[in-house]
Structure formats: C-alpha cells, structure tokens
Amino acid sequence: MNWDRIEGNWKQIKGEAIAQWGKLTEDDVDVIDGRREQLVGKIQERYGVAKDEAEAQVRDFEKKY
C-alpha cells in the first residue's frame, strides 16, 4: 500500500502504529495524523534512533499495509 492510502486510513491504522512503537502515545499518533515525516520524527524522538533507522522502520510498517 502506498503512503497516501495509509494516510487516508490513519484512524483505522493508528492502533497498529501504537502496537508497533509502544513509546508513541495516543496524542503522538493524533498529532502525526498519517503524515509520514511526522511519524519518522516521532520515532526518532521517542526511540533516539537516526533518521535512516526510523525511515527503515516506517518502510517496514508501510509494507504491512
């Protein structure tokens, strides 16, 4: 699935994002609101990983949907 579809279905998918990245709060996923760059940034912030690592995690997440 491309990211546009994830963004469009974010309300249904956000629970999966919380399940995958347990350090993301409900408020975090509400602020992210399906925006890929926001998700990458929050993963970097919460987990202290480099942008490349956060991007890789988001790519893996994207492949599921």
Side-chain angles (χ1 to χ4, degrees):
M1 176 184 279
N2 67 29
W3 195 263
D4 291 334
R5 290 182 63 191
I6 291 174
E7 188 173 3
N9 293 312
W10 186 249
K11 288 187 190 285
Q12 291 81 25
I13 295 173
K14 71 182 186 178
E16 299 296 325
I18 291 172
Q20 178 152 346
W21 295 287
K23 291 183 180 180
L24 294 181
T25 65
E26 185 82 26
D27 287 341
D28 289 337
V29 295
D30 287 343
V31 168
I32 290 165
D33 196 32
R35 294 177 302 227
R36 192 176 198 284
E37 286 303 312
Q38 291 282 334
L39 177 58
V40 169
K42 282 294 181 187
I43 293 168
Q44 286 180 268
E45 181 182 319
R46 295 284 186 234
Y47 287 89
V49 297
K51 184 173 184 176
D52 291 344
E53 172 60 26
E55 287 277 357
Q57 290 181 24
V58 171
R59 267 194 308 276
D60 290 342
F61 179 75
E62 187 175 2
K63 288 176 187 175
K64 296 178 185 178
Y65 302 97

